[in-house]
Amino acid sequence: MRISTTIFLTDETIAPVRLARELEQRGFAGLYLPEHTHIPIERTTPYPAAGDVLPAEYGRTLDPLVALGQAAAVTERLGLGTGVTLIAEHDPIVLAKQIATLDHLSGGRFTLGVGFGWNREEAADHGVHWPTRRELGRDRMALMRALWAAEPTAYEGEFASVRASYAHPKPAGGAPRTLLGGAAGPKLFAQIAEYADGWLPIGGRGLTATMPVLRETWEKAGRDPADLQVVPYGVLPNPGKLAHYEELGCPEVVLQLPPGDETEVLGVLDGYAVYL
């Protein structure tokens, strides 16, 4: 099982270049970065991790694709991912170009973690109608896949369309590995089975009960059982927990790093070395 990491990189934390070099030298498999474009001060949406106080790093996150571009430039093997890209907040034509460029330049090391968001005010500033955010995300994924296709391919969707176009570079493998984040449920599992490669369950709790349900949905959609990837995300590890994920067949786990300076983050990496 591959051991990767995630962190809220901000203007106050360890820098992307320093962290990426340390991760690769220490033998970690990947670096995943979250996304928030901004956090409106007038916020009525509750913080999903409980409590009314939203940690300061949410409003200071670096742009994940820019930061991962820096990480790609100073590494050769380190996987690069988003956890997650808030797809409803993006122009899909522009996002498709950014992702394809990063995947091409990194030699196919990019994983697209996709999420539908929790902060209604943030999404509203992007013009997102909250009840349709999942359908909007599905539509944007389909449009991006049309642009990533080997031959010029048109797409006409409910929310957007694109003409058959020349769109290069292409992602190194035709399309990057795509994992959907979100809470277990029939809507999410149906979308995973329709157009993704797997699931990014935050924290990794409850997988013993939910993975069989996802596998059933996956197989009913005609997908090969061997292709499903479940990657527990933002995990605070212990030996028993990681052994359990491996027994469940998870190919990778993403450990949470604190949003700290070099000294704090490298100290945590020292402790995580026992899991490599």
Side-chain angles (χ1 to χ4, degrees), residues 195-214:
Y195 64 80
D197 300 299
W199 183 27
L200 273 179
I202 306 300
R205 291 184 295 274
L207 289 184
T208 301
T210 56
M211 279 184 65
V213 180
L214 174 56

Side-chain angles (χ1 to χ4, degrees), residues 14-93:
I14 187 172
V17 166
R18 177 78 164 119
L19 177 58
R21 284 175 168 154
E22 286 287 339
L23 289 172
E24 183 158 274
Q25 289 171 5
R26 292 164 181 255
F28 287 89
L31 171 63
Y32 290 73
L33 299 180
E35 175 180 48
H36 283 284
T37 56
H38 67 300
I39 299 293
I41 293 174
E42 297 180 2
R43 181 176 59 84
T44 59
T45 308
Y47 174 41
D52 294 330
V53 179
L54 186 68
E57 59 265 23
Y58 278 75
R60 307 189 74 102
T61 54
L62 302 183
D63 180 277
L65 296 179
V66 174
L68 290 170
Q70 283 201 330
V74 297
T75 57
E76 296 179 351
R77 302 174 304 280
L78 188 72
L80 313 161
T82 52
V84 290
T85 294
L86 298 172
I87 193 168
E89 298 183 0
H90 289 271
D91 178 316
I93 298 174

Side-chain angles (χ1 to χ4, degrees), residues 181-250:
K187 289 184 179 180
L188 179 71
F189 287 177
Q191 286 199 315
I192 291 171
E194 180 184 357
Y195 64 80
D197 300 299
W199 183 27
L200 273 179
I202 306 300
R205 291 184 295 274
L207 289 184
T208 301
T210 56
M211 279 184 65
V213 180
L214 174 56
R215 287 195 178 103
E216 182 180 3
T217 304
W218 181 268
E219 293 177 30
K220 283 184 176 179
R223 304 290 299 271
D224 186 339
D227 291 339
L228 176 61
Q229 299 187 47
V230 176
V231 179
Y233 187 84
V235 171
L236 297 175
N238 61 59
K241 186 185 295 186
L242 297 193
H244 179 57
Y245 295 151
E246 193 161 21
E247 290 172 0
L248 289 173
C250 299

